[in-house]
Amino acid sequence: LDAAGSKVEEECAQYAKQSQRGFITTQGGKLSCSKIIHLIHNDNVKSQVSKVLHECELNMYKSVAFPAIGTGQAQRSPAEAADNMLDAIVEFASKRSVQHLKKIKIVIFQANMLGDFYKSMKKREDSYSSTKDSWMSFFGGKKNTGRKKPVVLEKKVDLATLQICGESQKNVDATESWIKNLILKEQFEISISDELIENFGEREINTLADLQRRNRVAIHLENNISPPCITISGISRDVCTVSEEIKKMIQKMKDTKEEEFKAELVYKLVEWGYLGSNENFVAFDKLTNMQLEDARTAKKPYLTVKINKKNYKVDLNTLQANDDQGKTITIQRVPKNEGKL
């Protein structure tokens, strides 16, 4: 308000008692914007952001800039604020009725918060692949207008040439037909369709190439259809072997994503950490956080975790962690929403 000037303060005082929508709108004052939307305190950050976005669309505003809502006096964690704000933006961007609002900015003043907002955006980039282009474009990202080309893995084929000699053309033709039928009986084709195939990266493509190289099959990856598809063709027994390996690879990706999703849910409820060298609370990564909470729920006495790349055995009763050299570190469990665990 100090930067906006006294006229904006006067408008706030004038409209404050009239607000029934959770916010008031004033002129931009001395700031380089046409309007300022002032939010009235509310614990529901996602709802607040949604209201502002719809107000901007209703008034045909082309852009809007948010601070990291809730991280100031409300003392919300940056990660929670990021998730709430981006959830609202993704929902708004996925609506086909949006016509006027083209750019959304989130202004981060504290450098330590950037990581939380980046992680939250990356998470949604992976999770909302179907609406990724629409919501990422609000942040100035370019839409991917080109369709993905199908991936064909190169395979060198050793050709075998058969010369057929016989007493008559009829016998030669019969033999040729018999050989072709024999080859066709040995040929087989299987197609595997799954949305996760679209997320195949260099490591997965290299695995497919290795499977093709070690087996008598040809693998064709079609990622410009929905759902994406992998077709394996070749000798029947090799096709079956390779298809099972690919299914295991896809299942592993599903398990990883489910584990990441569960870890995120647990993190919203409780945070595990340890006291660092300066007695500062150092949070575990989300996967370790989930493993500690699962072990506590299952009433396990101990769990081994990594702290500074070293193994520590955590006593879940005393919340003390010890390494193999006798060093002890204090573990802490901080509930974010006690009563829901």
Side-chain angles (χ1 to χ4, degrees):
L1 283 178
D2 291 339
S6 58
K7 288 187 178 181
V8 173
E9 289 189 34
E10 291 172 4
E11 278 192 85
C12 286
Q14 178 183 349
Y15 298 136
K17 294 181 180 179
Q18 301 175 13
S19 174
Q20 296 180 352
R21 296 182 295 171
F23 62 87
I24 57 175
T25 304
T26 67
Q27 298 300 315
K30 296 180 180 179
L31 298 179
S32 56
C33 60
S34 60
K35 302 286 183 181
I36 303 174
I37 298 177
H38 306 263
L39 294 172
I40 296 171
H41 176 69
N42 186 325
D43 288 333
N44 193 334
V45 171
K46 180 180 175 182
S47 173
Q48 287 184 306
V49 174
S50 295
K51 287 180 180 179
V52 171
L53 294 174
H54 284 94
E55 179 71 7
C56 290
E57 178 66 16
L58 185 65
N59 288 278
M60 295 185 287
Y61 300 150
K62 292 183 178 180
S63 65
V64 62
F66 289 94
I69 297 175
T71 59
Q73 293 182 355
Q75 297 183 339
R76 287 182 179 272
S77 72
E80 184 183 1
D83 285 345
N84 290 335
M85 293 183 71
L86 289 170
D87 280 344
I89 292 170
V90 169
E91 286 185 10
F92 175 79
S94 64
K95 296 180 179 179
R96 297 185 181 275
S97 59
V98 178
Q99 296 180 354
H100 305 288
L101 187 59
K102 301 298 181 184
K103 183 173 287 188
I104 300 170
K105 293 182 179 180
I106 299 178
V107 182
I108 310 296
F109 294 102
Q110 298 87 347
N112 62 307
M113 293 186 186
L114 287 173
D116 293 297
F117 277 82
Y118 175 77
K119 289 177 184 176
S120 190
M121 287 186 70
K122 285 294 292 180
K123 180 173 60 182
R124 281 152 185 79
E125 183 179 5
D126 295 335
S127 301
Y128 297 91
S129 57
S130 60
T131 57
K132 172 185 170 184
D133 286 344
S134 61
W135 78 268
M136 282 296 287
S137 67
F138 280 91
F139 293 96
K142 294 181 180 179
K143 291 187 178 182
N144 181 15
T145 55
R147 297 179 72 190
K148 292 185 177 181
K149 294 182 179 179
V151 177
V152 181
L153 304 175
E154 292 185 8
K155 184 175 180 65
K156 292 182 179 180
V157 180
D158 296 324
L159 296 177
T161 302
L162 295 177
Q163 290 185 338
I164 305 170
C165 301
E167 294 179 352
S168 65
Q169 185 63 43
K170 181 179 179 181
N171 290 342
V172 171
D173 291 344
T175 303
E176 181 184 1
S177 177
W178 176 79
I179 292 173
K180 285 182 178 179
N181 288 333
L182 193 63
I183 292 172
L184 287 174
K185 286 180 181 178
E186 282 294 318
Q187 294 296 305
F188 193 54
E189 183 175 287
I190 290 180
S191 294
I192 301 171
S193 299
D194 197 288
E195 292 291 350
L196 281 179
I197 293 173
E198 189 178 26
N199 297 329
F200 274 22
E202 184 178 354
R203 184 175 63 179
E204 287 76 24
I205 297 300
N206 288 339
T207 300
L208 293 180
D210 184 59
L211 286 170
Q212 181 175 255
R213 188 166 46 251
R214 292 187 289 106
N215 297 274
R216 288 168 291 182
V217 298
I219 299 176
H220 184 79
L221 194 156
E222 189 81 15
N223 50 14
N224 60 356
I225 60 176
S226 181
C229 175
I230 294 175
T231 302
I232 312 109
S233 56
I235 303 298
S236 57
R237 59 179 177 274
D238 287 356
V239 169
C240 292
T241 299
V242 170
S243 67
E244 287 304 313
E245 290 296 320
I246 293 174
K247 288 176 183 177
K248 288 178 183 178
M249 187 164 61
I250 294 172
Q251 186 59 49
K252 186 177 180 181
M253 292 177 69
K254 287 181 180 178
D255 293 342
T256 299
K257 282 191 170 292
E258 287 176 5
E259 193 171 51
E260 289 173 353
F261 179 71
K262 182 184 175 185
E264 187 66 34
L265 292 179
V266 173
Y267 177 74
K268 290 176 186 274
L269 298 175
V270 65
E271 188 169 20
W272 287 79
Y274 60 92
L275 296 181
S277 56
N278 297 324
E279 296 299 309
N280 293 327
F281 179 82
V282 181
F284 285 110
D285 63 83
K286 292 179 181 178
L287 185 58
T288 304
N289 186 75
M290 179 186 69
Q291 290 169 347
L292 282 163
E293 188 62 23
D294 285 348
R296 178 180 180 271
T297 303
K299 297 182 179 180
K300 293 182 179 179
Y302 301 101
L303 182 72
T304 299
V305 300
K306 280 195 178 294
I307 299 176
N308 297 326
K309 299 181 180 180
K310 292 182 64 177
N311 286 331
Y312 279 78
K313 187 177 182 180
V314 179
D315 187 321
L316 291 166
N317 293 316
T318 64
L319 295 184
Q320 297 293 311
N322 297 284
D323 65 5
D324 54 7
Q325 297 178 348
K327 182 179 178 181
T328 300
I329 292 179
T330 300
I331 304 296
Q332 290 186 350
R333 177 182 180 273
V334 182
K336 293 183 178 180
N337 207 349
E338 192 65 73
K340 290 189 177 183
L341 286 180

